[in-house]
Amino acid sequence: KPVTAIGAEAFKGIRDIGAVVIPDSVTVIEAGAFRNCVNLTEITMSNSVTTIGKEAFAYCNQVKAITLPETLTTISEGAFAFCRNLRSIDIPDSVQTIGDYAFQVCASMKTATFGTGLRTIGEKAFWDCAALTSVVIPDGAPTTIGKKAFYGCKSLKEISMPKSLKTIDKMA
């Protein structure tokens, strides 16, 4: 029987993992699955993953880049929090929700580009991404930007907001 989910905390804290290839059969990466895998540098996800769970890759400090699949709909709370070397993120059109704290303290992130399917950027989603200089949000997405979503982004010089935006919460 094929593996359809990477279980909660399945590989949490394993220091010897340098690369991860998520197979085609997996649709869900559960909470904390690779949390604190401090030597993880490369993540390859198949085009079957729909959900990245809470803190699934949090504290994976050596990850510099990740390509999110076009099937992904949900990036849960803290999914990539404290991935201090992540340089940029391109959110595919399929993603509808970026959870609270999803990319908080990704200190090396310079750019974030969002797809047209996005509806919600959660509270503190990009909090304290100090190197973030540019945020591009296309017309048609999102409808809500949560409280302090970009708070502490000291280098932010450009943010493109869509006409479809309905709510910008406090200190976004």
Side-chain angles (χ1 to χ4, degrees):
K1 203 172 182 182
V3 174
T4 58
I6 306 294
E9 300 184 356
F11 300 99
K12 179 183 176 185
I14 298 177
R15 295 182 176 273
D16 296 335
I17 297 175
V20 169
V21 177
I22 307 295
D24 289 340
S25 59
V26 172
T27 58
V28 177
I29 301 170
E30 293 183 2
F34 296 94
R35 186 181 197 274
N36 207 32
C37 290
V38 294
N39 292 312
L40 181 62
T41 59
E42 191 176 328
I43 302 166
T44 305
M45 288 187 213
S46 67
N47 260 334
S48 58
V49 175
T50 59
T51 303
I52 298 174
K54 179 180 180 179
E55 297 184 359
F57 295 97
Y59 300 94
C60 292
N61 296 328
Q62 299 306 314
V63 173
K64 291 181 180 160
I66 185 163
T67 301
L68 299 174
E70 291 294 331
T71 51
L72 188 64
T73 58
T74 304
I75 300 171
S76 298
E77 180 180 328
F80 296 96
F82 296 91
C83 289
R84 294 181 188 276
N85 286 305
L86 186 62
R87 306 237 190 272
S88 66
I89 194 71
D90 290 320
I91 308 295
D93 290 340
S94 56
V95 173
Q96 297 172 10
T97 303
I98 297 174
D100 297 346
Y101 314 99
F103 295 96
Q104 78 168 349
V105 195
C106 289
S108 298
M109 184 181 295
K110 291 186 177 192
T111 60
T113 305
F114 302 92
T116 57
L118 188 62
R119 295 297 165 251
T120 304
I121 297 174
E123 181 178 320
K124 296 183 181 177
F126 291 87
W127 178 71
D128 212 16
C129 291
L132 191 62
T133 59
S134 174
V135 172
V136 178
I137 304 172
D139 208 22
T143 55
T144 303
I145 296 177
K147 181 169 55 176
K148 295 185 179 181
F150 297 100
Y151 187 81
C153 297
K154 300 175 217 167
S155 301
L156 193 58
K157 292 179 173 83
E158 177 186 359
I159 187 162
S160 171
M161 298 280 187
K163 293 175 189 170
S164 57
L165 191 59
K166 292 181 180 157
T167 306
I168 299 175
D169 215 331
K170 184 168 49 174
M171 299 172 74

